[in-house]
Amino acid sequence: MAAGAGLALLAALLAAAGAERSRELFEFSEAKAPSGELFYPAYDLAEFSWDSLRLNRTALTAELRGAPAADPGGAFSNGSLAFRLTAYSSAGRAARLPRLLHSAESCQLQFLLAGVAPRGNGSRFLLQLATVEAPGAARSLRSRRSIDDEYTPSIFQVLSLLAQPHNSSSVLGFLQWKATAYGSPSPRREDGIQCRAGGLQVANGTLPMASVVQAYFGESLGSSCTISALNVSFGGEEGEVYQEKRYLSWSVLLGFGEPPRDTFSPLVISIAAVALGTPLAMLLLGSCLLLLARRRRYSEYEPIN
Ligand SMILES: *[C@@H]1O[C@H](CO)[C@@H](O)[C@H](O)[C@H]1NC(C)=O
Ligand SMILES: *[C@@H]1O[C@H](CO)[C@@H](O)[C@H](O)[C@H]1NC(C)=O
Ligand SMILES: *[C@@H]1O[C@H](CO)[C@@H](O)[C@H](O)[C@H]1NC(C)=O
Ligand SMILES: *[C@@H]1O[C@H](CO)[C@@H](O)[C@H](O)[C@H]1NC(C)=O
Ligand SMILES: *[C@@H]1O[C@H](CO)[C@@H](O)[C@H](O)[C@H]1NC(C)=O
Ligand SMILES: *[C@@H]1O[C@H](CO)[C@@H](O)[C@H](O)[C@H]1NC(C)=O
């Protein structure tokens, strides 16, 4: 029963996800030259050959795996790129890092790169996402910092790509992620790969859209829809996690309405209480001692006759 509802939701979200697609995978090296970064030819996901969708009805997952149809360099000879969608039958928190908080109306989308050989020494990957918004709505990118990293150790930044109508501040839908990817199928904190988002740009007319998106939005796609693009890059200067592990997993929560928001955990509240409370208690103790000392000093005076 719950599984059936979950799968129906999965299908609905897959349809919604059609409006938010990854278009290209770039790979670049930080060159020493003043020109900055060196880009390799991009992998266009429209030119990939994809396996048929793999559904797992117990885990409520759907996975689409593919590789470039033509791969002269052989970078994908042992590797593949995949998107995995996980639906949830109830609200909760994912068991694996980054342990995103989810509701029953949201699902998790994972971008997985496994075994793909990097073309350069220490090169990094960059994924370009495109979103299509119906007339009357627009996307905006929000970044929020929190002091609470209990569920995602050492990660303090949460990013959201929100769809909002022009005439109100309500949220129609969202993509939400933490500023990290992981270099392992069973991620630990030390497998973290830095994830950075570029600016959101209006890409009206510059991005060719897939036929599924065209079918979904119909005629309005060319005339009144707003197409936005966002680049998300993986890996920082310091860690060469991908080079070593040949694995990258980036998780995004996708859903309708307001994105779920982490509240402060009791652990963090008690740590804050202790951290703030201790100096206060010491201050009180200090003033008590001072009062005592002053009283004693007064009593030490002998009455002068
Ligand atoms: C489906 O997912 C369950 C739970 O994660 C797993 O035990 C099972 O092997 C998966 N089935 C297939 C066919 O992959
Ligand atoms: C693919 O794997 C084989 C065996 O593990 C290895 O010899 C080969 O170098 C790998 N190719 C790439 C492009 O990594
Ligand atoms: C790649 O990097 C390693 C370690 O930084 C270095 O030893 C090696 O020479 C580099 N290879 C190339 C082709 O630049
Ligand atoms: C916003 O605009 C839509 C149509 O464009 C309309 O249906 C809706 O009532 C409006 N909402 C507000 C709060 O004005
Ligand atoms: C492009 O984007 C603008 C908003 O910046 C929007 O008003 C317009 O309808 C979009 N579509 C086209 C085809 O220009
Ligand atoms: C993403 O990066 C590529 C490569 O640098 C660039 O061509 C493209 O314009 C960027 N897109 C956005 C939305 O920044």
Side-chain angles (χ1 to χ4, degrees), residues 59-106:
L60 294 183
T61 59
E63 190 173 310
L64 195 61
R65 190 179 286 266
D71 184 25
F76 277 75
S77 59
N78 286 338
S80 66
L81 182 154
F83 293 98
R84 186 189 295 154
L85 207 54
T86 308
Y88 302 105
S89 50
S90 62
R93 190 181 291 282
R96 293 208 165 141
L97 281 173
R99 306 207 58 204
L100 295 176
L101 188 68
H102 59 78
S103 63
E105 289 81 43
S106 55

Side-chain angles (χ1 to χ4, degrees), residues 88-152:
Y88 302 105
S89 50
S90 62
R93 190 181 291 282
R96 293 208 165 141
L97 281 173
R99 306 207 58 204
L100 295 176
L101 188 68
H102 59 78
S103 63
E105 289 81 43
S106 55
C107 70
Q108 180 171 282
L109 178 70
Q110 268 175 293
F111 165 67
L112 303 163
L113 203 59
V116 177
R119 285 175 286 184
N121 211 0
S123 64
R124 291 186 255 152
F125 290 100
L126 185 150
L127 186 68
Q128 180 170 264
L129 301 163
T131 71
V132 181
E133 227 37 71
R139 287 270 168 182
S140 62
L141 181 67
R142 286 244 184 100
S143 162
R144 195 165 54 77
R145 289 194 168 270
S146 161
I147 58 162
D148 190 354
D149 70 336
E150 189 189 347
Y151 297 107
T152 318

Side-chain angles (χ1 to χ4, degrees), residues 27-94:
E27 186 179 350
F28 64 101
S29 284
E30 205 86 66
K32 302 281 178 285
S35 58
E37 290 149 347
L38 164 74
F39 274 84
Y40 295 92
Y43 295 112
D44 189 342
L45 304 195
E47 283 160 18
F48 270 45
S49 69
W50 300 94
D51 296 347
S52 55
L53 193 69
R54 280 185 226 173
L55 286 175
N56 184 331
R57 281 160 213 274
T58 31
L60 294 183
T61 59
E63 190 173 310
L64 195 61
R65 190 179 286 266
D71 184 25
F76 277 75
S77 59
N78 286 338
S80 66
L81 182 154
F83 293 98
R84 186 189 295 154
L85 207 54
T86 308
Y88 302 105
S89 50
S90 62
R93 190 181 291 282

Side-chain angles (χ1 to χ4, degrees), residues 36-303:
E37 290 149 347
L38 164 74
F39 274 84
Y40 295 92
Y43 295 112
D44 189 342
L45 304 195
E47 283 160 18
F48 270 45
S49 69
W50 300 94
D51 296 347
S52 55
L53 193 69
R54 280 185 226 173
L55 286 175
N56 184 331
R57 281 160 213 274
T58 31
L60 294 183
T61 59
E63 190 173 310
L64 195 61
R65 190 179 286 266
D71 184 25
F76 277 75
S77 59
N78 286 338
S80 66
L81 182 154
F83 293 98
R84 186 189 295 154
L85 207 54
T86 308
Y88 302 105
S89 50
S90 62
R93 190 181 291 282
R96 293 208 165 141
L97 281 173
R99 306 207 58 204
L100 295 176
L101 188 68
H102 59 78
S103 63
E105 289 81 43
S106 55
C107 70
Q108 180 171 282
L109 178 70
Q110 268 175 293
F111 165 67
L112 303 163
L113 203 59
V116 177
R119 285 175 286 184
N121 211 0
S123 64
R124 291 186 255 152
F125 290 100
L126 185 150
L127 186 68
Q128 180 170 264
L129 301 163
T131 71
V132 181
E133 227 37 71
R139 287 270 168 182
S140 62
L141 181 67
R142 286 244 184 100
S143 162
R144 195 165 54 77
R145 289 194 168 270
S146 161
I147 58 162
D148 190 354
D149 70 336
E150 189 189 347
Y151 297 107
T152 318
S154 76
I155 305 300
F156 299 95
Q157 195 187 11
V158 184
L159 292 116
S160 319
L161 194 55
L162 305 174
Q164 289 178 297
H166 291 308
N167 61 358
S168 96
S169 61
S170 64
V171 177
L172 302 172
F174 64 86
L175 258 88
Q176 190 178 58
W177 67 95
K178 297 224 177 176
T180 187
Y182 290 95
S184 162
S186 42
R188 293 161 305 157
R189 182 200 146 146
E190 52 270 36
D191 302 320
I193 297 176
Q194 193 181 44
C195 156
R196 257 189 253 158
L200 187 67
Q201 288 180 7
V202 172
N204 274 354
T206 60
L207 297 176
M209 295 310 275
S211 50
V212 62
V213 181
Q214 238 133 25
Y216 188 77
F217 285 94
E219 292 277 291
S220 62
L221 186 64
S223 56
S224 51
C225 286
T226 307
I227 300 170
S228 314
L230 175 74
N231 278 346
V232 180
S233 68
F234 304 102
E237 296 79 31
E238 67 297 333
E240 240 83 86
V241 179
Y242 184 82
Q243 222 74 10
E244 213 180 282
K245 307 271 178 75
R246 295 273 171 101
Y247 191 91
L248 189 149
S249 149
W250 180 53
S251 304
V252 182
L253 193 74
L254 189 74
F256 300 109
E258 287 282 345
R261 211 182 151 129
D262 270 315
T263 49
F264 282 111
S265 63
L267 179 69
V268 167
I269 292 175
S270 50
I271 290 172
V274 170
L276 293 174
T278 311
L280 200 69
M282 285 176 79
L283 220 72
L284 280 173
L285 196 70
S287 52
C288 285
L289 287 176
L290 206 71
L291 276 174
L292 275 175
R294 287 177 76 174
R295 284 183 63 152
R296 179 155 324 140
R297 182 136 2 116
Y298 282 128
S299 60
E300 273 166 7
Y301 286 117
E302 291 295 318

